[in-house]
Amino acid sequence: MLDCTPKEIKARSGGVINPAKTCQPIGAMYAALGIHSCMPHSHGSQGCCSYHRMHLTRHFRDPVVATTSSFTEGASVFGGVSNLKTSIKNVFEVYNPDVMAVHTTCLSETIGDDLPSIIKSTEIPEGKLVIHANTPSYQGSHITGFSNMTKGMVNYLSTATTEVKKEQVNIIPGFVNPGDMREIKRMMQLMGIKYIMFPDTSGVVDSPITGQYTMFGRGGTRVEDIRDTGNSKLTLALGGYASGDPAIQLERKCKVPAVAIKTPLGVKATDEFLLALRQAFAAEVPYELEEERGQLVDIMVDTHYHFHGKKVAIFGDPDILIALTEFVLSLGMQPLYVLTGTPAGTIGGPVGTFEKEVKSMLEQAGVDGKVKAAGDLFELHQWIKNGPVDLLMGNTYGKYIARAEDIPFVRVGFPILDRSVQPYLPIVGYKGAMRLLEMISNALLDRADRDAADEDFELVM
Amino acid sequence: MSLILGGGEVAIDEKTLDAILNEYPAKVKRNRKKHIIIRDSAVEHQEIEANTRTIPGIMTNRGCAFAGCKGVVLGPLKDMVHIVHGPIGCAYYSWLTRRNKAKSEDPTQNFLHYCVSTDMQESDIVFGGEKKLARMIDEVVEILGPKAITISATCPVGLIGDDIQQVAKEARKKHGVNITAYNCEGYKGVSQSAGHHIANNGLMENIIGEGDMEDPPIRYTINILGEYNIGGDSWEVERVLKEIGYQVQAVMTGNGSYEDLKNAHVAQLNLVQCHRSINYIASMLETKYGTPWLKVNFIGIKATIESLRNMALYFGDEELINKTEEVITRELEEIEPLLEPYRKICAGKTTFCFVGGSRGHHYQGLYGELGISTVLAGYEFAHRDDYEGREVIPNIKPDADSKNIPDLHVSPDESRYRLKIPQERMEELKTKIPLSYYSGMNVTMAEGSIIVDDLNHYETEEFIKILKPDIFSSGIKDKYIPHKMGIPCKQLHNYDYSGPYAGFRGSVNFARDICMSFTTPAWNFMVPPWKDKPLLEGTVAQCNGAACTVNQAR
């Protein structure tokens, strides 16, 4: 497995080998699915759209619909104006969504198609909406695409209509699973604070089987709610990379203060999330959540010897990684390598702070680890060859390294293509942390069982 | 026109079809009407429109030329590093997602688990990406050390004018490694099909025939073309061929290698499994080296037997013919008892068969042998010859969208061209077996069945509602839609991570898998028990002299 990867590391500058990111439009497609009755539309040649639908479908094991402008060579040279106009007509007539959310690809971005003016000059059926975001694949990553489409929602929809801001909070959950979005909403209900979460893919890509197929499920944030985000008292951006930009845009446009905090994953980040809400809304944290927290810490204490001092390599998307690093540190583990494919900072966006944030956490914990943004899995593998770890955490692509180096592996993040159920269950909140803790423990203990000599094989661990 | 099916009669007539199409805007209706036919053998030749541009916004299943070139044809070649010149997505999505299996004697020369991309950034779009590409080639040569490298272009490459052919040429000179470039920008043509053609041209021009073998190792040396070893298909086919006494020189391109491919010219016969993706190379090999090609089909038992017999007839050797029959008998003895229980489960059922450019046809036979009839079939990106047979090729007019895909013209090789069998014998064989010929899908389909080109989401839903297939066969984007309706689904691109499905043993795997889908107890739980029971047991009472229903609330 991966027998061509040498131990010796040579500097590379020609591109990446085995990426730890993918391109913008898939993130935009995912975000658009988080609007109720919305058809994501890919303005480019149709290969992108097929690839993005396939990849999301494989991760969620649920239908993922999207349409495309299907550029031909002619359109690629002379512009895709008529392709988009025809698409808008056909999509509303044939599929009848409430909203079409258009994103771009490297093709239409390189050509320079002017989407706002195309949309403005196109006849859109009464009561229907077309929104857009520019998502050039040659900037940032899929996380940038998610951020850009969410920003597009703010640009087109959010409006401040009330003089006094309402006692409600906007929550931008970031690029997380519907199971995570459900968990965040559950915590909000327990906190008793009115909220608008956008985008929200729960009920869209985790739909039940009923015997009937409906293209637009019950889920997704309603357009009127996204409009109302302009009237909220506060926006909580969970994860700066995926959610920071749209929150700042909402602050600029509608004067809703934006607060960026970590993805609420692990004890500390979940604490911060609840504290931010408690402070802004003077709402006490209810006993149920306090109980869950206490249970989580109880388990951490009970099982600390499962993971204390273990070396771990983690890779994936920056927001999740920042929180995950903090969590494994709180378990007494040593994150030796933390790597994301997403570059630090994107054009037009805030400067990424991934490396700085993670490094300072490691320093504080006294862990001498490598941290890299815009890295790839080829390099991560080489690091591991030069300094082995006890556990690898990341998306499905990590399984090749795990097998090559015989390392226990915990699947977390996007995409997970070779295991099921995971999009339905959270990794955020105290509940999600419990689940992660179980996954980490199981991986390490399964390995201990596998490797133990008969006489050392334990009944109770 | 109606189609007789198992228990009853399901009708789809022009009127029903029209009702479906009437939901479209007028322009779309006119277009789509030409891509759908109801099979009627009374009509001498039913023409279908195919290989034309996709309707924007229709929700097609199609992919792009890059997918057809790098993803399908080049990607499976295991000892070559395939560099994708573009932003990260194209390389990423074609990384390990197609199940073209490969095994190497030298694992340090198997690069299938690697995804190599120039990961173009904004500055590369602005200032050009040629220098970065050249650096990537240097790094690949230095770090991975392959014998050959391919470079595939993606959408922006053509627009910004990066000359990847020139970069490849210079790198070839610098490194002494076979480095070839493919201008398979995603917008070329109208589908994956353009990419097949571009890849075929490149392989033929720069790799096939580069080897120094002059003669075949044995008389029965063959190539298998258009076989990508999905789930181990070609290994199962090769197992049987080897037992009969054939030697496979090269498989294009499943488990294929640069080393085998460059000597593909020595084969005495080329087998063509997927006509769409590889017929260009098949024709060019015939012109250049005099090697005829035979259309085979190793999906389904009857088709496999027929293909084996046709091959034996081509070589015409008594001993080979006898050995062929012996192996067929033995293989049948092994699988027939295994298939029996599955046939009972499948009997009388129906399916849709909508796959890329060849399996929409090939799997119908296998389904039929299990007792499942195909009520609708079609392709994403096949051409008219795949539907109607190769005789229509002279009548196909290239349109504006695909005429810019270059045709490669080859001529007989001065030293290596050889007639493999005498001309007279060739002509005689052509009347008996499909030599350099493919009859297409349409003629094999049942009366009243539907043939749809570039089936889209709307039509999928509508045809499912009307025809109510027992199992739906298509790809991953479709799979979970029938599931929600309670209809099992078989992915015929990736086999739902199972396989092989080809050859004798493959048919047993296939039967086992679809019977699993029919019989999994999960379907029984789809409707909650409270849905078909009233909330409260009620009685009908008289009220004000009129009957009224009470307590029926749910």
Side-chain angles (χ1 to χ4, degrees):
Chain A
M1 187 62 54
L2 299 177
D3 291 293
C4 314
T5 307
K7 189 176 171 186
E8 188 201 345
I9 300 173
K10 285 181 180 151
R12 286 182 283 122
S13 64
V16 302
I17 307 178
N18 300 354
K21 67 166 177 184
T22 181
C23 63
Q24 282 208 37
I26 195 173
M29 187 182 282
Y30 183 54
L33 290 166
I35 304 175
H36 180 69
S37 189
C38 174
M39 179 71 84
H41 182 83
S42 169
H43 186 55
S45 59
Q46 68 209 9
C48 312
C49 185
S50 265
Y51 274 145
H52 299 142
R53 290 178 64 201
M54 282 176 183
H55 215 65
L56 291 170
T57 303
R58 285 173 178 138
H59 175 81
F60 295 109
R61 293 176 200 252
D62 229 33
V64 169
V65 295
T67 51
T68 162
S69 294
S70 292
F71 274 51
T72 56
E73 185 154 21
S76 307
V77 176
F78 302 110
V81 179
S82 74
N83 291 61
L84 185 53
K85 285 178 178 269
T86 310
S87 295
I88 292 172
K89 181 179 166 59
N90 289 343
V91 167
F92 284 117
E93 285 217 25
V94 181
Y95 296 112
N96 197 30
D98 292 341
V99 190
M100 249 179 104
V102 185
H103 61 259
T104 57
T105 68
C106 46
L107 178 56
S108 49
E109 285 294 328
T110 305
I111 298 169
D113 270 352
D114 179 6
L115 263 62
S117 63
I118 303 175
I119 293 169
K120 257 183 219 135
S121 64
T122 304
E123 202 184 317
I124 293 159
E126 183 73 28
K128 304 288 180 179
L129 283 169
V130 179
I131 68 170
H132 98 278
N134 292 92
T135 52
S137 318
Y138 43 77
Q139 287 176 358
S141 73
H142 57 296
I143 299 299
T144 322
F146 182 93
S147 164
N148 282 340
M149 181 49 83
T150 309
K151 199 156 74 176
M153 296 173 199
V154 172
N155 287 336
Y156 276 85
L157 302 172
S158 303
T159 21
T161 51
T162 58
E163 213 144 292
V164 182
K165 294 293 181 198
K166 293 183 186 173
E167 277 295 305
Q168 66 186 26
V169 59
N170 302 324
I171 295 189
I172 308 178
F175 198 121
V176 292
N177 279 322
D180 296 312
M181 297 182 188
R182 284 178 193 269
E183 177 61 12
I184 294 166
K185 290 194 288 186
R186 189 186 67 92
M187 288 192 284
M188 291 309 297
Q189 265 151 16
L190 288 173
M191 287 294 290
I193 299 167
K194 201 167 167 255
Y195 66 92
I196 300 167
M197 179 186 280
F198 78 105
D200 177 4
T201 58
S202 63
V204 180
V205 291
D206 60 354
S207 64
I209 195 165
T210 59
Q212 307 288 322
Y213 169 73
T214 40
M215 179 168 278
F216 306 109
R218 289 182 173 214
T221 314
R222 312 251 154 188
V223 166
E224 60 266 30
D225 289 333
I226 303 180
R227 289 195 206 280
D228 197 34
T229 55
N231 298 323
S232 297
K233 192 175 147 185
L234 175 74
T235 302
L236 280 187
L238 309 185
Y241 278 78
S243 311
D245 256 13
I248 290 165
Q249 182 66 6
L250 190 50
E251 186 171 83
R252 274 193 209 121
K253 188 179 173 190
C254 302
K255 312 235 169 340
V256 180
V259 172
I261 56 174
K262 290 191 191 86
T263 302
L265 184 158
V267 195
K268 278 177 83 176
T270 307
D271 288 350
E272 266 171 50
F273 171 66
L274 296 179
L275 277 174
L277 289 166
R278 178 178 180 265
Q279 199 179 349
F281 293 89
E284 212 34 85
V285 177
Y287 177 70
E288 286 98 316
L289 286 171
E290 212 170 284
E291 187 179 51
E292 281 172 21
R293 186 183 185 281
Q295 289 170 332
L296 170 64
V297 178
D298 188 65
I299 298 168
M300 285 165 67
V301 173
D302 292 347
T303 55
H304 67 276
Y305 55 90
H306 293 173
F307 28 73
H308 195 94
K310 294 281 196 248
K311 294 172 191 147
V312 56
I314 46 185
F315 70 93
D317 300 330
D319 293 332
I320 303 237
L321 281 196
I322 290 168
L324 191 57
T325 304
E326 187 177 73
F327 182 51
V328 297
L329 282 170
S330 73
L331 297 177
M333 297 178 81
Q334 295 190 44
L336 286 196
Y337 314 123
V338 185
L339 178 141
T340 182
T342 297
T346 53
I347 295 165
V351 176
T353 53
F354 172 78
E355 289 189 6
K356 206 176 124 210
E357 266 188 81
V358 175
K359 265 183 196 149
S360 84
M361 279 193 272
L362 295 190
E363 266 163 34
Q364 227 173 347
V367 177
D368 182 20
K370 285 179 192 288
V371 183
K372 188 163 183 177
D376 61 27
L377 298 186
F378 191 81
E379 184 165 13
L380 180 69
H381 188 186
Q382 290 183 313
W383 290 349
I384 292 172
K385 277 179 181 287
N386 286 284
V389 291
D390 304 303
L391 182 71
L392 178 67
M393 297 179 80
N395 65 32
T396 284
Y397 294 94
K399 78 190 276 183
Y400 292 84
I401 298 175
R403 182 178 161 107
E405 303 302 327
D406 197 20
I407 314 167
F409 180 42
V410 168
R411 287 168 180 78
V412 55
F414 175 84
I416 293 171
L417 308 169
D418 61 334
R419 295 292 186 271
S420 59
V421 190
Q422 42 77 31
Y424 293 84
L425 300 175
I427 56 169
V428 301
Y430 302 124
K431 284 276 186 206
M434 260 184 233
R435 184 170 163 247
L436 267 175
L437 200 140
E438 186 184 18
M439 285 155 69
I440 294 171
S441 266
N442 286 353
L444 292 167
L445 297 184
D446 281 349
R447 172 54 54 91
D449 278 344
R450 193 197 86 178
D451 292 349
D454 278 3
E455 61 275 24
D456 296 326
F457 195 63
E458 299 283 350
L459 175 71
V460 185
M461 291 173 92
Chain B
M1 182 72 50
S2 64
L3 178 69
I4 313 291
L5 301 166
E9 196 171 280
V10 180
I12 181 131
D13 48 26
E14 294 290 349
K15 219 176 101 193
T16 318
L17 185 58
D18 221 48
I20 293 175
L21 298 177
N22 276 338
E23 295 296 311
Y24 282 136
K27 211 173 145 188
V28 175
K29 181 186 171 180
R30 278 201 301 280
N31 179 320
R32 288 302 302 156
K33 213 173 154 67
K34 290 181 257 178
H35 294 261
I36 305 173
I37 52 180
I38 300 172
R39 173 74 183 134
D40 180 359
S41 62
V43 181
E44 200 185 328
H45 185 93
Q46 285 186 289
E47 193 176 316
I48 193 164
E49 193 162 276
N51 190 36
T52 56
R53 65 170 65 171
T54 315
I55 298 169
I58 202 72
M59 213 185 301
T60 178
N61 263 305
R62 283 173 166 181
C64 64
F66 166 82
C69 179
K70 192 272 178 180
V72 173
V73 182
L74 302 178
L77 291 162
K78 61 191 174 188
D79 56 353
M80 306 169 87
V81 170
H82 305 290
I83 299 176
V84 178
H85 187 39
I88 196 64
C90 309
Y92 177 87
Y93 300 112
S94 57
W95 178 23
L96 293 166
T97 44
R98 202 158 163 268
R99 301 180 58 239
N100 38 254
K101 294 198 173 204
K103 202 172 160 179
S104 277
E105 276 168 22
D106 177 4
T108 66
Q109 283 293 311
N110 182 346
F111 304 103
L112 289 200
H113 294 147
Y114 293 87
C115 167
V116 184
S117 166
T118 52
D119 186 24
M120 288 174 97
Q121 299 298 307
E122 177 132 50
S123 55
D124 303 313
I125 300 291
V126 177
F127 303 109
E130 290 177 8
K131 282 192 184 127
K132 196 176 191 186
L133 174 60
R135 277 206 306 278
M136 186 44 122
I137 297 170
D138 293 346
E139 289 165 15
V140 162
V141 171
E142 193 193 344
I143 298 169
L144 299 174
K147 294 171 188 136
I149 294 171
T150 70
I151 300 155
S152 294
T154 61
C155 286
V157 171
L159 297 176
I160 62 171
D162 271 1
D163 187 350
I164 61 169
Q165 299 294 344
Q166 186 60 27
V167 175
K169 203 171 143 190
E170 280 163 22
R172 202 156 50 222
K173 230 184 284 166
K174 179 173 172 187
H175 296 294
V177 170
N178 183 304
I179 300 170
T180 51
Y182 300 79
N183 280 98
C184 54
E185 286 87 349
Y187 54 75
K188 294 244 170 103
V190 298
S191 67
Q192 290 94 312
S193 180
H196 302 149
H197 198 163
I198 291 162
N200 275 227
N201 290 351
L203 293 180
M204 191 68 199
E205 202 168 15
N206 300 306
I207 294 174
I208 295 169
E210 294 286 297
D212 46 20
M213 273 169 74
E214 291 302 332
D215 298 303
I218 64 168
R219 180 164 135 73
Y220 310 127
T221 298
I222 55 166
N223 294 321
I224 308 178
L225 276 59
E227 167 53 63
Y228 303 97
N229 201 26
I230 306 298
D233 272 355
S234 84
W235 288 330
E236 173 58 11
V237 172
E238 282 178 78
R239 177 185 69 82
V240 174
L241 294 180
K242 214 177 269 178
E243 280 182 39
I244 294 172
Y246 293 102
Q247 173 145 346
V248 179
Q249 169 57 36
V251 181
M252 294 178 206
T253 51
N255 190 38
S257 69
Y258 169 69
E259 288 297 327
D260 296 337
L261 197 57
K262 61 184 188 179
N263 284 313
H265 58 276
V266 301
Q268 299 296 294
L269 176 67
N270 291 317
L271 310 181
V272 170
Q273 172 72 30
C274 171
H275 175 261
R276 183 68 267 133
S277 67
I278 213 86
N279 77 89
Y280 314 96
I281 285 182
S283 298
M284 288 188 277
L285 284 173
E286 186 161 16
T287 309
K288 192 167 178 183
Y289 301 108
T291 322
W293 61 271
L294 177 71
K295 178 70 185 81
V296 292
N297 178 17
F298 291 111
I299 302 296
I301 305 155
K302 279 185 205 152
T304 300
I305 292 173
E306 193 185 313
S307 298
L308 294 175
R309 286 185 177 149
N310 289 348
M311 290 170 67
L313 193 65
Y314 168 84
F315 285 102
D317 187 294
E318 190 83 14
E319 201 184 326
L320 186 75
I321 292 170
N322 291 340
K323 186 71 189 171
T324 301
E325 293 304 323
E326 190 189 302
V327 169
I328 290 171
T329 308
R330 204 180 58 217
E331 292 288 326
L332 282 179
E333 275 168 11
E334 179 191 318
I335 63 162
E336 280 300 336
L338 299 173
L339 285 169
E340 242 357 86
Y342 299 133
R343 287 198 169 113
K344 288 199 184 96
I345 295 169
C346 295
K349 291 189 160 53
T350 61
T351 189
F352 282 13
C353 223
F354 180 75
V355 208
S358 87
R359 287 179 236 198
H361 183 195
H362 292 146
Y363 273 81
Q364 294 185 33
L366 179 51
Y367 269 126
E369 285 161 15
L370 298 170
I372 299 176
S373 41
T374 302
V375 292
L376 179 147
Y379 299 122
E380 283 171 40
F381 50 75
H383 299 196
R384 277 184 58 202
D385 41 320
D386 303 291
Y387 290 100
E388 302 171 47
R390 278 183 75 90
E391 59 269 33
V392 303
I393 290 177
N395 308 327
I396 301 176
K397 291 179 212 82
D399 67 6
D401 295 318
S402 32
K403 71 179 173 208
N404 38 23
I405 312 302
D407 262 319
L408 177 66
H409 295 284
V410 296
S411 46
D413 188 278
E414 277 175 26
S415 64
R416 284 169 168 173
Y417 183 90
R418 281 182 202 113
L419 273 183
K420 302 298 186 285
I421 49 175
Q423 197 63 46
E424 248 170 59
R425 170 100 178 117
M426 265 297 277
E427 293 311 315
E428 189 202 328
L429 280 172
K430 277 185 180 176
T431 63
K432 295 178 183 158
I433 60 175
L435 264 184
S436 311
Y437 179 69
Y438 175 44
S439 69
M441 178 178 81
N442 293 6
V443 291
T444 63
M445 287 195 65
E447 286 296 295
S449 58
I450 324 267
I451 299 163
V452 191
D453 176 65
D454 189 17
L455 182 71
N456 58 52
H457 178 97
Y458 166 72
E459 288 162 14
T460 301
E461 269 198 69
E462 293 301 303
F463 284 126
I464 287 178
K465 278 182 210 153
I466 291 166
L467 296 167
K468 301 183 176 62
D470 296 295
I471 186 165
F472 181 86
S473 336
S474 181
I476 185 70
K477 296 192 291 294
D478 283 338
K479 181 180 173 77
Y480 299 105
I481 292 158
H483 272 197
K484 301 289 181 199
M485 306 176 189
I487 298 170
C489 205
K490 180 80 243 167
Q491 290 187 69
L492 285 185
H493 292 274
N494 70 22
Y495 302 167
D496 294 296
Y497 326 107
S498 179
Y501 286 166
F504 296 102
R505 291 180 186 168
S507 60
V508 180
N509 292 339
F510 181 76
R512 177 201 63 212
D513 288 354
I514 57 171
C515 286
M516 249 193 308
S517 306
F518 287 136
T519 56
T520 179
W523 296 118
N524 302 328
F525 301 102
M526 201 166 62
V527 180
W530 51 86
K531 284 279 181 194
D532 40 20
K533 281 203 185 88
L535 182 60
L536 297 168
E537 298 296 330
T539 47
V540 178
Q542 292 295 122
C543 39
N544 297 335
C548 65
T549 311
V550 292
N551 295 341
Q552 291 287 318
R554 288 201 175 179

